[in-house]
Structure formats: structure tokens, C-alpha cells
């Protein structure tokens, strides 16, 4: 490539290659990431490879990406880092990835961090700095655009995010594996009780220092939570009540509408103060069925191993 060609490539910050397999768009800046997401939504690329850390504008409507109406069952969409240390430092006031009415999307080998940290006022239970969920899927059901299917997060690292790290609404076959989550002032993985979900797999992840429940699961049929490590979640005891009061809870919270849930081989430990390993939410027991809790290690929590609220 001559000097002018090299300069043009560097200026654009992204390349689009079409070969025998899926088309790949390369991103190394916020501008090139914008371009690559446009190519995914426009059907001219199927993969985004992030080749170096990307720092989003910390303020303003920047670095929030919507994947909508990507429903071709033969198409596999991937977003991934080119090596293990690659991260996107998102604008914390905007969800980095929102998935609606789309299928077959994998996010892997990528860090999602905040470009600017949250500030929580523990007296008022409100955030001085507005925050949003880093990854949201299947939330816009009222417009008929919500269902997210066959979504995988694998080898993902997410640090902080409010009011939850991953928000799952109307969804089917969601797989979250081999990832680490930490630092949220409220929730880790949140499955809204408002929207129905089927086939949720949460395997071999680590949840550390999340303010409230590491996993809040409700209105889900057929779910597996296996082989995870839960360390010191509900850590700041900040499940806020009116008037700024706080309450304890479980590192995992099982809510109404949960059916056919299996939990095996998890380590749930170091819960304090007044924190349990597994919490069945108030009023949920009569509204759940088919729960298997087997072969877990629940220890060093200051409240019960399993707590019926």
C-alpha cells in the first residue's frame, strides 16, 4: 500500500473486508465503531473486530448503538476484541449495546467499562451522575420490536453500570458464559418480571462487589445458573427504599414467574452485612415451580444460605 493509501486507511479508522466468509469491519475509534455498527445494520458486514481500546465521548449523545430488526436466521453477527485486553470505555449515560427484535448476535472477548464513574448518594438512594445499563436486550416490547433471540455474551468483562449491568426483557435463548461482572451500584443481571423469557443460561461467570443482587431472575421459564462464583454481592446493602432506607437480601434473588430453574455447582460466599446466599422474594414462593438447587457451595454469608423473604 502506498503512503496515500495508508493515510486514508488511518483516517477512516475502519476497514471492511469481504471474503468467502462473513464480512468483517475493523474498529479502532469511536468514529470507526459508528461506521461498523452502520454496516451491521445495513447488511454489508456481519462482524465487528475491535482492534484497540475505544474511548467514547463521556458526555452527549455518543457511543450508544441500537441493533434492531436483524432477523435473518442464516446470519451470525459478532462483536469482539482482537485480543484479551481490548475494551470499549462507554459513555455511562447511554447504553452501549441495545438489541431489539434481532437474533444470532454474539458479543465476546471484550471489556465494557465506563468512561467516567458513577456517584451514588446513599442517603437519597439517587445517582449524582445519571447512569444507564451497558447492555440491554428485548426491552421495547410495547412497540412490537422487543424480542431478542439467540444472544450470547462470552468472555465479556463489564465493570459498573446502573441500574443494572445487563437488562433482559422479552427474550429467548440468552447465553451468558465465562464472563466477569463487578461494580454496579444496584444489580448485575436483571431479568424483568414484566416481560416473558425462555431459555436463559448463565454459566461459569464471576460476580463481585455488586451493590444489590448479582442475579435478579423472574418471569423466566427454563433457566440454568451453573458453575458461577458470587463474591460479596449485595455488598453496599443499597437496595433503596423510600426515605433512603436500605435492606439486606440475597446474592441471587428468585422472583415470581420463575419456572424450571436449575442451580448447580455455584460458589456463593462472603455476603455481608445481613446478606444471604439465595433469596426467594416476598410473595414469590406461590408463583414459582420446578426449582432445583443442587451441589452448590454457600458459605461465609452473614445471613441464611437460602432465605425466604
Amino acid at each position: 500500500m502506498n503512503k496515500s493509501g495508508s493515510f486514508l486507511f488511518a483516517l477512516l479508522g475502519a476497514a471492511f473486508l469481504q471474503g468467502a466468509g462473513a464480512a468483517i469491519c475493523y474498529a479502532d475509534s469511536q468514529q470507526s465503531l459508528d461506521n461498523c455498527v452502520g454496516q451491521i445494520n445495513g447488511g454489508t458486514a456481519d462482524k465487528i473486530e475491535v482492534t484497540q481500546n475505544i474511548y467514547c465521548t463521556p458526555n452527549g449523545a455518543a457511543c450508544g448503538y441500537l441493533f434492531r430488526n436483524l432477523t435473518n436466521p442464516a446470519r451470525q453477527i459478532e462483536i469482539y476484541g482482537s485480543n484479551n485486553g481490548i475494551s470499549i470505555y462507554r459513555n455511562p449515560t447511554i447504553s452501549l449495546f441495545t438489541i431489539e427484535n434481532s437474533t444470532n448476535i454474539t458479543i465476546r472477548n471484550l471489556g465494557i467499562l465506563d468512561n467516567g464513574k458513577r456517584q451514588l448518594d446513599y442517603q437519597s438512594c439517587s445517582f449524582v451522575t445519571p447512569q444507564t445499563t451497558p447492555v440491554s436486550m428485548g426491552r421495547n416490547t410495547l412497540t412490537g420490536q422487543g424480542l431478542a433471540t439467540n444472544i450470547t455474551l462470552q468472555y465479556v468483562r463489564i465493570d459498573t453500570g446502573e441500574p443494572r449491568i445487563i437488562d433482559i426483557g422479552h427474550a429467548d435463548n440468552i447465553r451468558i458464559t465465562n464472563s466477569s461482572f463487578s461494580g454496579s451500584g444496584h444489580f448485575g443481571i436483571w431479568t424483568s418480571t414484566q416481560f416473558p423469557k425462555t431459555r436463559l443460561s448463565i454459566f461459569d461467570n464471576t460476580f463481585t462487589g455488586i451493590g444489590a443482587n448479582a442475579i435478579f431472575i423472574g418471569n423466566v421459564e427454563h433457566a440454568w445458573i451453573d458453575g458461577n462464583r458470587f463474591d460479596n454481592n449485595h455488598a453496599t446493602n443499597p437496595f433503596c427504599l423510600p426515605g433512603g432506607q436500605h435492606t439486606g437480601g440475597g446474592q441471587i434473588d428468585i422472583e415470581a414467574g420463575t419456572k424450571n430453574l436449575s442451580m448447580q455447582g455455584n460458589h456463593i460466599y462472603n455476603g455481608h452485612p445481613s446478606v444471604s446466599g439465595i433469596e426467594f422474594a416476598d410473595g414469590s414462593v406461590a408463583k414459582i415451580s420446578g426449582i432445583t438447587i443442587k451441589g452448590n457451595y454457600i458459605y461465609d454469608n452473614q445471613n441464611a444460605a437460602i432465605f425466604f423473604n
Side-chain angles (χ1 to χ4, degrees):
M1 182 182 292
N2 60 32
K3 291 183 178 179
S4 61
S6 298
F7 175 77
L8 179 60
F9 181 87
L11 181 65
L12 292 176
F16 167 55
L17 299 181
Q18 177 72 60
I24 304 175
C25 184
Y26 295 91
D28 62 4
S29 67
Q30 181 177 324
Q31 180 183 3
S32 59
L33 183 58
D34 291 347
N35 175 53
C36 287
V37 172
Q39 290 189 26
I40 292 286
N41 284 317
T44 57
D46 293 326
K47 299 178 185 291
I48 299 174
E49 182 172 325
V50 181
T51 59
Q52 65 180 32
N53 290 344
I54 293 177
Y55 297 86
C56 296
T57 304
N59 297 297
C63 239
Y65 301 108
L66 172 63
F67 298 95
R68 176 180 285 171
N69 299 332
L70 303 174
T71 57
N72 182 351
R75 191 179 180 201
Q76 298 289 332
I77 296 168
E78 294 187 54
I79 306 161
Y80 57 92
S82 60
N83 63 58
N84 290 335
I86 297 295
S87 296
I88 298 175
Y89 291 78
R90 72 183 187 109
N91 175 355
T93 65
I94 300 171
S95 292
L96 182 63
F97 297 127
T98 300
I99 301 169
E100 296 178 358
N101 194 40
S102 294
T103 189
N104 298 339
I105 296 177
T106 296
I107 302 170
R108 61 178 173 85
N109 200 37
L110 189 66
I112 300 175
L113 309 176
D114 279 5
N115 192 8
K117 295 291 185 179
R118 72 195 189 287
Q119 290 181 279
L120 175 62
D121 181 345
Y122 285 98
Q123 294 302 313
S124 65
C125 295
S126 63
F127 285 90
V128 178
T129 305
Q131 298 284 303
T132 57
T133 299
V135 179
S136 178
M137 61 186 82
R139 293 291 295 177
N140 194 16
T141 58
L142 297 180
T143 65
Q145 300 296 320
L147 183 63
T149 62
N150 301 335
I151 310 299
T152 298
L153 275 68
Q154 186 176 39
Y155 298 106
V156 171
R157 309 170 308 282
I158 305 182
D159 178 15
T160 76
E162 302 300 342
R164 39 250 181 190
I165 292 176
I166 298 175
D167 191 336
I168 304 173
H170 189 197
D172 173 57
N173 198 24
I174 307 300
R175 299 174 299 275
I176 302 171
T177 69
N178 302 102
S179 296
S180 61
F181 307 103
S182 63
S184 170
H186 280 81
F187 301 99
I189 297 174
W190 167 282
T191 68
S192 170
T193 56
Q194 182 179 359
F195 307 115
K197 293 157 290 295
T198 54
R199 296 191 298 165
L200 171 64
S201 302
I202 303 174
F203 292 163
D204 301 323
N205 304 285
T206 300
F207 300 83
T208 307
I210 291 168
N213 313 114
I215 298 177
F216 177 102
I217 185 167
N219 202 0
V220 177
E221 185 166 2
H222 298 296
W224 300 266
I225 301 175
D226 296 342
N228 303 281
R229 302 189 74 88
F230 300 88
D231 178 6
N232 192 29
N233 299 291
H234 228 299
T236 53
N237 199 17
F239 193 90
C240 298
L241 298 175
Q245 301 175 52
H246 301 81
T247 180
Q251 298 203 48
I252 301 168
D253 184 2
I254 301 173
E255 294 278 336
T258 302
K259 300 177 181 178
N260 301 318
L261 165 66
S262 174
M263 297 179 56
Q264 299 190 47
N266 300 286
H267 288 251
I268 309 169
Y269 58 97
N270 195 24
H272 62 84
S274 301
V275 172
S276 301
I278 300 170
E279 171 188 1
F280 286 84
D282 187 20
S284 68
V285 175
K287 301 175 183 178
I288 62 176
S289 62
I291 309 298
T292 300
I293 299 174
K294 179 180 179 181
N296 300 281
Y297 302 86
I298 306 174
Y299 54 96
D300 291 342
N301 297 284
Q302 290 189 353
N303 207 335
I306 299 176
F307 173 62
F308 293 87
N309 203 342

